[in-house]
Amino acid sequence: MSTEQDPVKLMKQQVGKAAADLVKSGSIVGLGTGSTTAYAIEFLGKRLQSGELSDIKGIPTSFQASVLAKEYGIPLTTLDEVDRIDIAIDGADEVDPDKNLIKGGGAAHTREKIVDALAEQFVVVVDESKIVDRLGSTFLLPVEVLPMAMTPVMRAIEKLGGKPTLRMGVKKAGPVVTDEGNLVVDVKFETLDNPAEMEKTLNNIPGVLENGLFVEVSDVVLIGAIEDGKPVIREM
C-alpha cells in the first residue's frame, strides 16, 4: 500500500502536523517519543527549514527523539541550559476521559514525565484506539526499576494487587534496558480506580524510578481517526 493511500499513516501525519503547528518561534520544545510524535518532529523540522518557524530548541525525551531531531535539523538543548519548556509534544498508550495517561510503551516514560510535566503546555497526540474509559483496560502499566531491586519491587507490586512481568527485548536476548540503564516491569491491575494515588504509591516503592501513570499533566489531547476512509482530527 502506498503512503498516499494508507489512511492510518496519513492520519498520524496530520495529527503530528497539527501539534507541530502549535509551536511558536522562540520556543523551547519537549520532543516526545513514538510513531505519531515522530511526524510532529518531522513537521517542526520542515517549518524551520521553510523559515515559517525560527529560533526553537528541542529537548528530547529519548535517544529516538534525539536522532530524529538531528535528522530534521532541530537544534537541541538540555534542562541544565534552559529555565522553561514552552510546549511538549508526546504520544500516549492510553488516555482516559480526564486526560490522564498511561505512557511507557517505548520505555521512555521517565524522561517523558520530567519534560512533559515541566512544559507550560503539554500536547498529547494519539489515534482514537488509545482512548479508554478507564486506565489499564487495554495497556499494561510500565514501571521503570533499578536492576538490583527487580525482585523486591515485583513482590511489592504483587502486594498492591498487580501482576508484574519483566519486559523482554524484541530482536534482543534478555530484558529491555531503558536509556537510563534500568529495567521495565509491565503490570496488569484489574482496576486502576485512583490513578493519582497509584502513581504515588508505586513511586514510593524503593527501587522504582518512575511509572507510566501521567495524572493531571496533559493540557491538549489531539485525536486522529479515520472516518469514511479519510483522516480527521478532533481535540478532547
Side-chain angles (χ1 to χ4, degrees):
M1 190 185 282
S2 75
T3 311
E4 285 72 34
Q5 271 121 29
D6 183 349
V8 174
K9 185 169 181 178
L10 269 175
M11 177 259 291
K12 287 190 171 194
Q13 285 175 331
Q14 290 196 11
V15 177
K17 184 177 185 303
D21 284 343
L22 296 173
V23 176
K24 296 174 179 149
S25 292
S27 296
I28 307 293
V29 188
L31 303 174
T33 306
S35 58
T36 308
T37 317
Y39 288 121
I41 294 173
E42 180 183 348
F43 283 113
L44 275 178
K46 285 180 177 173
R47 289 188 67 200
L48 269 177
Q49 285 158 21
S50 71
E52 182 192 329
L53 199 59
S54 63
D55 190 32
I56 70 162
K57 285 184 180 170
I59 295 186
T61 58
S62 64
F63 186 66
Q64 182 212 30
S66 177
V67 168
L68 284 171
K70 287 171 186 169
E71 184 181 333
Y72 294 115
I74 300 169
L76 296 179
T77 186
T78 67
L79 292 174
D80 291 332
E81 294 166 337
V82 299
D83 59 2
R84 70 182 201 284
I85 299 174
D86 298 294
I87 182 170
I89 301 169
D90 212 343
D93 299 299
E94 283 188 342
V95 184
D96 77 4
D98 297 319
K99 298 184 186 174
N100 296 322
L101 319 174
I102 283 183
K103 289 175 54 52
H109 53 284
T110 298
R111 286 196 200 183
E112 288 171 342
K113 194 179 283 190
I114 292 165
V115 170
D116 298 343
L118 285 170
E120 289 291 317
Q121 184 183 41
F122 173 32
V123 179
V124 182
V125 288
V126 290
D127 63 74
E128 63 180 351
S129 70
K130 308 293 172 66
I131 307 301
V132 294
D133 291 329
R134 197 168 61 193
L135 292 180
S137 48
T138 64
F139 202 83
L140 301 178
L141 176 61
V143 181
E144 184 165 352
V145 183
L146 297 172
M148 67 167 284
M150 179 55 53
T151 301
V153 165
M154 287 175 86
R155 284 194 197 117
I157 287 171
E158 284 170 353
K159 285 180 184 168
L160 293 173
K163 293 178 185 165
T165 51
L166 180 61
R167 187 183 298 183
M168 303 306 285
V170 178
K171 297 185 180 178
K172 170 197 175 293
V176 166
V177 179
T178 70
D179 288 356
E180 274 73 44
N182 299 310
L183 304 177
V184 177
V185 176
D186 290 312
V187 186
K188 172 65 180 169
F189 285 103
E190 286 311 316
T191 57
L192 270 172
D193 294 327
N194 191 334
E197 204 54 44
M198 183 58 76
E199 181 180 23
K200 290 175 192 162
T201 301
L202 286 169
N203 281 356
N204 276 334
I205 299 171
V208 169
L209 185 63
E210 189 52 87
N211 69 80
L213 284 166
F214 284 52
V215 178
E216 295 180 5
V217 184
S218 314
D219 297 303
V220 177
V221 180
L222 298 176
I223 304 162
I226 307 292
E227 291 177 7
D228 300 325
K230 291 179 181 166
V232 294
I233 300 162
R234 62 185 173 87
E235 186 176 325
M236 180 182 266

